[in-house]
Amino acid sequence: MGIVEQAIAQTRNLRSRVRRETPGFSHPNLEFFRGSILDRNAVKKAVSGVNKVFHNAAQNPLAKDVELFWSVNKGGTQIIADEAAAAGVEKLIYTSSSAVYGAPKSNPVTEDTKPNPGEDYGRAKLAGEIICKRAVKRHGLDVAIVRPRTILGHGRLGTAHILFDWIERGLDIPVLAGGNNRYQFVHSDDLAWACIAASNLKGFATYNIGAAEFGTMRELLQVVIDHAGTASRIKSIPMGPTVLVANVASALGLSP
């Protein structure tokens, strides 16, 4: 987006509390506090005296732990919303997910598209959104909901690291039915900028965040292959049989 520099400039004057520890890292504008979002006392301590809370903690889909999806993504969000409201926090920015849309019936998806999650992760993230909206009505908490597309960036590759590994090794890359579906990602730096921008706007709002420019899956993978300079080739595989095998493998816990 060409706006990362603006995000860096804005964050220089921010004093943030991060609920995690990064070994060997320190910064004069950061205070590290370690705790679980399921620990109400820890959350109360973390948000005390804070103007803005960026709620980025979540149990992600790779864990495949349905119980944790709900306890962390719903229960943890309830605790954060409660304690943020009680502490008089100026703004809560909740990082949700585009998974709340499930498989939309039409494209493009907008903030007006009705959520219809198709699995537990998406349903739990939507439950977190509902909790935030209730906090707005009941406690007057100012909330921004951010729904990012698939996030890529330093330290945030998800399942994409498997494709990168295959390309590095020169293996062929399968795509479904030609790979001509358009797919939108978002870079972690741009998402961080968007969250900061949302924190500076007053009033409840929901934002979909994704790359301004994007193409088909085949085009995206070809760019990576060309950049790596390996012998990998993109090969199309049939949709029907592949989806059937993939669903069975996922149910058996055999797929990533």
Side-chain angles (χ1 to χ4, degrees):
M1 295 181 181
I3 50 181
V4 177
E5 293 79 8
Q6 297 178 40
I8 294 173
Q10 290 184 48
T11 56
R12 283 175 181 164
N13 297 321
L14 294 179
R15 182 174 180 272
S16 306
R17 290 187 178 180
V18 183
R19 289 189 312 279
R20 66 181 178 86
E21 291 182 340
T22 304
F25 177 81
S26 63
H27 191 282
N29 292 337
L30 294 178
E31 175 186 344
F32 292 96
F33 176 83
R34 184 175 184 177
S36 168
I37 66 169
L38 299 180
D39 183 339
R40 186 173 290 275
N41 288 330
V43 172
K44 181 181 296 186
K45 183 178 179 181
V47 302
S48 177
V50 172
N51 292 328
K52 299 176 182 179
V53 172
F54 293 85
H55 174 18
N56 302 318
Q59 187 67 29
N60 68 46
L62 293 179
K64 297 184 178 181
D65 190 322
V66 175
E67 183 177 345
L68 279 177
F69 286 159
W70 289 100
S71 63
V72 174
N73 298 344
K74 180 183 178 183
T77 299
Q78 182 70 69
I79 292 174
I80 288 178
D82 290 344
E83 297 306 323
V89 166
E90 175 186 323
K91 188 85 175 187
L92 170 64
I93 301 87
Y94 172 54
T95 302
S96 182
S97 169
S98 57
V100 301
Y101 292 116
K105 296 180 180 180
S106 63
N107 285 297
V109 169
T110 72
E111 287 80 3
D112 295 325
T113 301
K114 186 177 180 180
N116 184 31
E119 33 65 56
D120 282 286
Y121 172 74
R123 285 190 281 268
K125 294 298 284 187
L126 181 59
E129 290 190 10
I130 294 172
I131 287 169
C132 289
K133 292 177 181 179
R134 287 175 180 168
V136 173
K137 294 181 179 179
R138 294 177 180 177
H139 307 297
L141 182 64
D142 193 353
V143 177
I145 294 175
V146 174
R147 296 170 176 165
R149 294 295 294 139
T150 301
I151 308 166
L152 290 180
H154 303 295
R156 183 59 162 81
L157 296 181
T159 55
H161 82 272
I162 298 173
L163 295 176
F164 291 168
D165 177 64
W166 289 354
I167 292 173
E168 184 179 26
R169 292 159 57 190
L171 302 178
D172 289 341
I173 307 300
V175 293
L176 292 174
N180 295 316
N181 55 303
R182 285 166 57 82
Y183 198 89
Q184 186 182 32
F185 292 92
V186 62
H187 194 278
S188 55
D189 288 349
D190 290 332
L191 176 58
W193 178 90
C195 289
I196 293 171
S199 76
N200 293 325
L201 298 175
K202 294 186 180 298
F204 173 80
T206 301
Y207 306 97
N208 290 336
I209 307 298
E213 297 180 6
F214 57 96
T216 66
M217 185 60 70
R218 174 178 284 274
E219 292 169 341
L220 290 168
L221 290 171
Q222 190 61 57
V223 168
V224 177
I225 293 172
D226 293 343
H227 176 76
T230 67
S232 294
R233 294 177 299 173
I234 299 175
K235 289 193 172 181
S236 178
I237 55 179
M239 177 76 77
T242 303
V243 171
L244 177 61
V245 172
N247 285 337
V248 172
S250 179
L252 296 175
L254 300 177
S255 72

